[in-house]
Amino acid sequence: MRMNKKYSCLPAEEKGIHIINIRAIEDIGYDQHESTLLNSLSKNPDADCKYGLYFRDGKRKVDYILVYHYKKSSAGKTLTRRVQHNDSSARSTKQDQPLPGKGVQLEMRESEPHVDYHEDDKRFRREEYEGNLVEAGLELEHDEDTKIHGVGFVKIHAPWNVLCREAEFLKLKMPTKKMYQINQTHGLLKKINSVIQKITEPIQPKVAEHKPQTVKRLSYPFSREKQHLFDLSDRDSFFDSKTRSTIVYEILKRTTCTKAKYSMGITSLLANGVYSAAYPLHDGDYEGENVEPNDRKLLCEEWASYGVFYKYQPIDLVRKYFGEKIGLYFAWLGVYTQMLIPASIVGIIVFLYGCATVDENIPSMEMCDQRNNITMCPLCDRTCSYWKMSSACATARASHLFDNPATVFFSVFMALWAATFMEHWKRKQMRLNYRWDLTGFEEEEDHPRAEYEAKVLEKSLRKEHKHKETDKEKLTWKDRFPAYLTNFVGIIFMVGLTFAIVFGVIIYRISTAAALAISSTPSGRSSVRVTVTATAVIINLVVIIILDEVYGCIARWLTQIEVPKTDKNFEERLIFKAFLLKFVNAYTPIFYVAFFKGRFVGRPGDYVYIFHSFRMEECAPGGCLMELCIQLSIIMLGKQLIQNNLFEIGIPKMKKFIRYMKLKRRRSLDHEEHMKKKQRYEVDYNLEPFAGLTPEYMEMIIQFGFVTLFVASFPLAPLFALLNNIIEIRLDAKKFVTELRRPVAVRAKDIGIWYNILRGIGKLAVIINAFVISFTSDFIPRLVYLYMYSENGTMHGFVNHTLSSFNVSDFQAGTAPNDPMDLGYEVQICRYKDYREPPWSENKYDISKDFWAVLAARLAFVIVFQNLVMFMSDFVDWIIPDIPKDISQQIHKEKVLMVEVFMREEQGKLQMLETWKDNDKKKGENCNNHSPRLSRSHSGSLSSCHSYPLDV
């Protein structure tokens, strides 16, 4: 039987036995059969405390858990018990003692030669810290008698007076007794809303918090002086579990541990290993028989289940359980997913339009017509031969599916869609702020991080060593300059590494294409381009997934060496670095295909070479847009499927299995202990720690870039994003409810820096889509040909117009095809895609006037498209108000009602004072009317008359 510290919390008189005698019995080994007998005679105490949700008395709720590791050697046990026995008597003089572990070293050396002084120092720190928590008003209970060997738990309970005090400090808005009617729509709008509610009723979650409300309680920052304003009929539920854990966490952060020059809160103690974990408890089990109803079980059934994928999310219940910050993330994800539905429908229509008009597309028909007999120049030196344009018929027809006039409309639509989405989210955010009583919430400066405090202490100690008098120290830019320099060099190196990998893939494509072209089989030569493109994209995908994980770790390390002061600063800097590196990693291969491939090729007889041996690769005859579509689709789908889903499911499962195997290996063979049901805090300790929302947001932001940045080349991107997000919402929900420890609830009124990143991507998407339509697709060359060069106003002759001629006698030495008769006839003139003068011209192979006309049209289109779409987006931004009209009215109504409440209270006080004054006057008059004899005989009565107001 292991020592259980909770027994030392009770006075010795209540136990009926002296504590030292119990400990002595434990020390001599009387711990197995006798304790089993005692336990068998008593009832199960775990059922009274609901298996760890309450203290042993079954009344005080566990609001927070601290976890620590301890060594179970006999020497350590003896020393621990001695120190604990003297702890209560020494606590009063604790502040005047030297640093922990200094004053008792001699005695420890004499009696316990094998004691781990590092462990003792941690234990002394824990005892001092927990004593300070008790002084702050918290109630503690220890438990080392658990199924997890070597792990102890500290259960923390915040009593009512502490909750009230901290709620006032934190300015928590709590519901008052005053209730008011929410403005309802009237007339036609009311009928429409009722019809919509009936239609959407099957997809609404069966949660009380999700039902439409007609009345709302007036909220006001909690004040102990104004407790009469609040509904305190049920004190146990006035502060819910989320609020209680938040209050306790604030106390844990600001409570000091030592008399050093810097604060040692819970973050520092966790960083130094004094405690191994700190977390609030889940409300209970979410599955199994005879499970009591709780919010966690309800969330698991109505939210974290794939069977309810078609239902709305119970956002209010998510906020109630996890806090505003996590609630806002899932609300944003839900709004984004809903907005993808119209984008997906329009994208499908655009794709179907391309499918329906593919047989009517004149340029692709000309390319597929074998009667044209267009002979193209070789795609590589020596090993590649001449080829017929009709062999690229499939590529040309497939290109039309994504390169048609409808894609231009879709690009404009998606730019407006992004602006509408941002405005819709701002309005939704304001509604949530109103419902969650966050309208007047302002974030206060957070406590300094443990690493920052340690750095400041190190700096102050250095200055003290130099005999300099210092005030309160802080880190300046000079202290952080090495870190800033490392950040700059590291980011530049990582970006350069990404470019180098993309360049390596380009070399692979060129060399592989040349190697496959040597193939003697015609089928092998015809599938060269598809094989090279597919394998190169898969390589890019694997590299992107690997580098994503590497860059995430590097971004965190670079942020840590900067030593930001607060958690908010740390999070913002980490987000910026991680987004920059992952953005470059994910989109560099796509940018290459969209804007650089085929631009710097040269011409036959004067090609551009890499390392004097590899010729730059060209676009397909139908353009690079088809290849861009393949690249974008494979990277997007592969990233979502492998990284976002398989990793999110597989890695937590694997970690959980590893932890389970470790615990199983450590588990004792004691049958009684093995059969004992685990406490709630033991079960939660085995869950994965919450690592923040940055990875979740990052996945969706990168996906938002895929949906908006290159949507002109892949209209089905919103559809695949929608399908992924339907799974992603339930996957994240299941992870939060079942796989992770319950995070500390954090108040937030917006999604922070992520909103600015979204706006930046939306603006960048307009520019990129303008360049994709103008320079990557053939939309502008077709328009120029149609209105400037076409003889009959149709697209007949467009393919021939985009091809230039080359005399095969002008090949450089050693670059001509090894087999010039591969097509069965001798080739004199071959064609290549470019706007150049023919070989019979005076300025042969120079840039032609057609090139400059097309270039001017492309640049003009970019300018017009960009300014027009930007103006339309800003117009949408301006015409849609950020705050819904009904919400602004309700906020104003709340202010008026709150003023009325206080005015009535003041009037009531004045009336009471006037009543007291009137009573005082009447009593005085009555007393003056008495006779002197009566007055003398009733002096007590007179004194009581005059003292009446004071008594009241």
Side-chain angles (χ1 to χ4, degrees), residues 591-661:
F591 270 94
Y592 163 73
V593 175
F595 302 121
F596 296 99
K597 184 179 179 181
R599 310 290 174 197
F600 311 102
V601 177
R603 61 169 179 82
D606 188 20
Y607 283 114
V608 176
Y609 291 90
I610 302 174
F611 305 133
H612 303 287
S613 57
F614 296 106
R615 204 175 94 186
M616 288 295 291
E617 56 181 345
E618 305 176 36
C619 290
C624 279
L625 197 70
M626 184 62 197
E627 189 169 344
L628 176 62
C629 173
I630 295 173
Q631 185 103 4
L632 182 66
S633 60
I634 292 180
I635 291 178
M636 178 183 176
L637 296 178
K639 199 171 181 331
Q640 288 184 164
L641 181 64
I642 298 174
Q643 192 174 25
N644 297 2
N645 292 332
L646 291 182
F647 281 12
E648 284 193 20
I649 296 173
I651 291 180
K653 294 281 187 186
M654 185 174 64
K655 288 182 177 179
K656 189 176 181 181
F657 179 74
I658 292 173
R659 285 196 302 271
Y660 171 76
M661 294 304 294

Side-chain angles (χ1 to χ4, degrees), residues 203-210 298-304 308 311-321 327 330 435-436 729-730 733:
I203 60 176
Q204 300 290 346
K206 297 177 182 178
V207 175
E209 287 80 359
H210 196 76
L298 189 59
L299 282 172
C300 188
E301 293 172 352
E302 295 294 328
W303 181 51
V308 294
K311 289 187 177 183
Y312 286 102
Q313 299 183 85
I315 292 298
D316 291 327
L317 184 59
V318 174
R319 173 252 179 180
K320 178 186 174 185
Y321 193 79
F330 281 103
R435 270 162 48 190
W436 298 348
I729 289 175
R730 306 303 164 180

Side-chain angles (χ1 to χ4, degrees), residues 315-486:
I315 292 298
D316 291 327
L317 184 59
V318 174
R319 173 252 179 180
K320 178 186 174 185
Y321 193 79
F322 291 109
E324 286 79 7
K325 192 171 185 179
I326 294 176
L328 281 173
Y329 163 70
F330 281 103
W332 173 83
L333 184 56
V335 170
Y336 171 47
T337 304
Q338 289 176 16
M339 288 294 292
L340 282 173
I341 295 175
S344 303
I345 294 172
V346 177
I348 292 172
I349 293 173
V350 169
F351 178 73
L352 293 177
Y353 170 81
C355 295
T357 58
V358 67
D359 292 328
E360 302 172 5
N361 184 40
I362 295 175
S364 61
M365 290 170 62
E366 288 184 347
M367 290 183 64
C368 295
D369 191 356
Q370 297 184 1
R371 294 174 297 178
N372 289 332
N373 196 25
I374 299 177
T375 304
M376 303 297 292
C377 295
L379 296 174
C380 61
D381 294 341
R382 295 186 299 277
T383 55
C384 298
S385 183
Y386 305 105
W387 55 285
K388 290 289 189 68
M389 174 171 273
S390 57
S391 63
C393 175
T395 306
R397 289 174 63 85
S399 297
H400 179 72
L401 301 178
F402 306 99
D403 187 3
N404 56 69
T407 56
V408 180
F409 157 77
F410 190 56
S411 299
V412 177
F413 171 82
M414 288 303 294
L416 298 179
W417 172 87
T420 307
F421 162 61
M422 301 304 295
E423 290 304 307
H424 179 44
W425 166 244
K426 281 196 289 188
R427 291 169 64 84
K428 177 71 172 179
Q429 194 170 252
M430 283 306 302
R431 289 189 181 277
L432 293 176
N433 285 343
Y434 164 71
R435 270 162 48 190
W436 298 348
D437 299 321
L438 295 170
T439 48
F441 171 70
E442 293 293 336
E443 293 186 12
E444 299 179 357
E445 186 175 357
D446 201 358
H447 297 278
R449 299 174 62 249
E451 293 81 358
Y452 179 85
E453 291 180 334
K455 206 76 173 178
V456 169
L457 176 66
E458 183 182 339
K459 181 180 178 181
S460 61
L461 290 176
R462 276 201 311 267
K463 289 196 173 183
E464 280 185 1
H465 184 68
K466 296 178 181 179
H467 305 288
K468 291 184 180 180
E469 292 185 0
T470 59
D471 297 329
K472 188 175 181 180
E473 290 292 338
K474 63 179 182 180
L475 297 184
T476 62
W477 69 269
K478 292 181 181 179
D479 301 318
R480 291 192 173 104
F481 180 75
Y484 289 153
L485 183 62
T486 306

Side-chain angles (χ1 to χ4, degrees), residues 449 451 480 483-484 486-487 491 551-579 581:
R449 299 174 62 249
E451 293 81 358
R480 291 192 173 104
Y484 289 153
T486 306
N487 270 260
I491 291 175
Y551 285 169
C553 298
I554 291 175
R556 180 169 290 276
W557 176 75
L558 291 175
T559 309
Q560 286 173 346
I561 64 174
E562 280 188 58
V563 197
K565 184 175 181 180
T566 63
D567 287 330
K568 183 179 179 182
N569 292 339
F570 181 88
E571 186 180 20
E572 289 181 350
R573 296 187 185 193
L574 173 63
I575 289 169
F576 174 75
K577 294 180 185 65
F579 174 74
L581 293 174

Side-chain angles (χ1 to χ4, degrees), residues 89-354:
S89 62
R91 182 163 290 176
S92 60
T93 59
K94 172 179 54 181
Q95 301 297 333
D96 300 327
Q97 291 178 354
L99 288 174
K102 300 289 185 184
V104 292
Q105 284 184 355
L106 182 60
E107 180 185 351
M108 287 162 55
R109 286 190 185 120
E110 292 176 358
S111 58
E112 309 293 346
H114 300 292
V115 172
D116 189 341
Y117 296 106
H118 185 62
E119 291 296 323
D120 281 344
D121 181 62
K122 288 183 180 180
R123 178 172 48 76
F124 275 112
R125 285 174 182 264
R126 285 197 297 269
E127 290 177 355
E128 183 182 1
Y129 181 70
E130 290 164 14
N132 293 339
L133 291 180
V134 172
E135 291 177 2
L138 298 178
E139 298 176 1
L140 310 182
E141 186 177 79
H142 293 73
D143 187 6
E144 290 183 359
D145 186 18
T146 64
K147 293 186 72 174
I148 306 175
H149 290 253
V151 176
F153 296 89
V154 182
K155 295 175 277 187
I156 302 177
H157 168 76
W160 173 255
N161 61 327
V162 174
L163 293 173
C164 294
R165 181 191 71 204
E166 297 299 322
E168 185 174 350
F169 292 165
L170 296 174
K171 301 176 183 178
L172 295 180
K173 273 192 172 183
M174 304 302 295
T176 63
K177 297 177 182 177
K178 176 70 176 176
M179 301 181 71
Y180 67 95
Q181 197 80 16
I182 297 176
N183 294 339
Q184 300 293 321
T185 55
H186 300 284
L188 182 61
L189 286 176
K190 185 176 181 180
K191 293 181 180 178
I192 294 174
N193 288 338
S194 63
V195 171
I196 292 174
Q197 287 179 6
K198 288 181 181 179
I199 294 174
T200 59
E201 187 176 358
I203 60 176
Q204 300 290 346
K206 297 177 182 178
V207 175
E209 287 80 359
H210 196 76
K211 294 179 180 178
Q213 298 178 347
T214 56
V215 293
K216 185 178 185 290
R217 286 190 179 274
L218 194 63
S219 295
Y220 185 74
F222 188 82
S223 173
R224 287 172 289 181
E225 295 180 355
K226 301 184 184 301
Q227 287 193 30
H228 57 278
L229 295 177
F230 301 94
D231 184 14
L232 302 179
S233 57
D234 185 6
R235 290 190 173 189
D236 293 336
S237 61
F238 183 73
F239 295 106
D240 57 13
S241 59
K242 177 238 336 172
T243 307
R244 297 175 70 99
S245 63
T246 302
I247 288 173
V248 173
Y249 183 64
E250 288 296 324
I251 298 175
L252 293 176
K253 283 199 296 185
R254 71 165 185 260
T255 302
T256 56
C257 176
T258 65
K259 297 173 70 175
K261 288 190 176 181
Y262 71 103
S263 173
M264 279 281 286
I266 187 61
T267 53
S268 302
L269 296 175
L270 289 170
N272 295 329
V274 178
Y275 290 100
S276 58
Y279 52 89
L281 292 179
H282 280 292
D283 279 358
D285 292 327
Y286 59 90
E287 60 182 358
E289 297 180 358
N290 303 323
V291 175
E292 293 185 3
N294 58 71
D295 288 342
R296 188 188 187 194
K297 185 174 185 294
L298 189 59
L299 282 172
C300 188
E301 293 172 352
E302 295 294 328
W303 181 51
S305 172
Y306 295 109
V308 294
F309 72 92
Y310 59 92
K311 289 187 177 183
Y312 286 102
Q313 299 183 85
I315 292 298
D316 291 327
L317 184 59
V318 174
R319 173 252 179 180
K320 178 186 174 185
Y321 193 79
F322 291 109
E324 286 79 7
K325 192 171 185 179
I326 294 176
L328 281 173
Y329 163 70
F330 281 103
W332 173 83
L333 184 56
V335 170
Y336 171 47
T337 304
Q338 289 176 16
M339 288 294 292
L340 282 173
I341 295 175
S344 303
I345 294 172
V346 177
I348 292 172
I349 293 173
V350 169
F351 178 73
L352 293 177
Y353 170 81

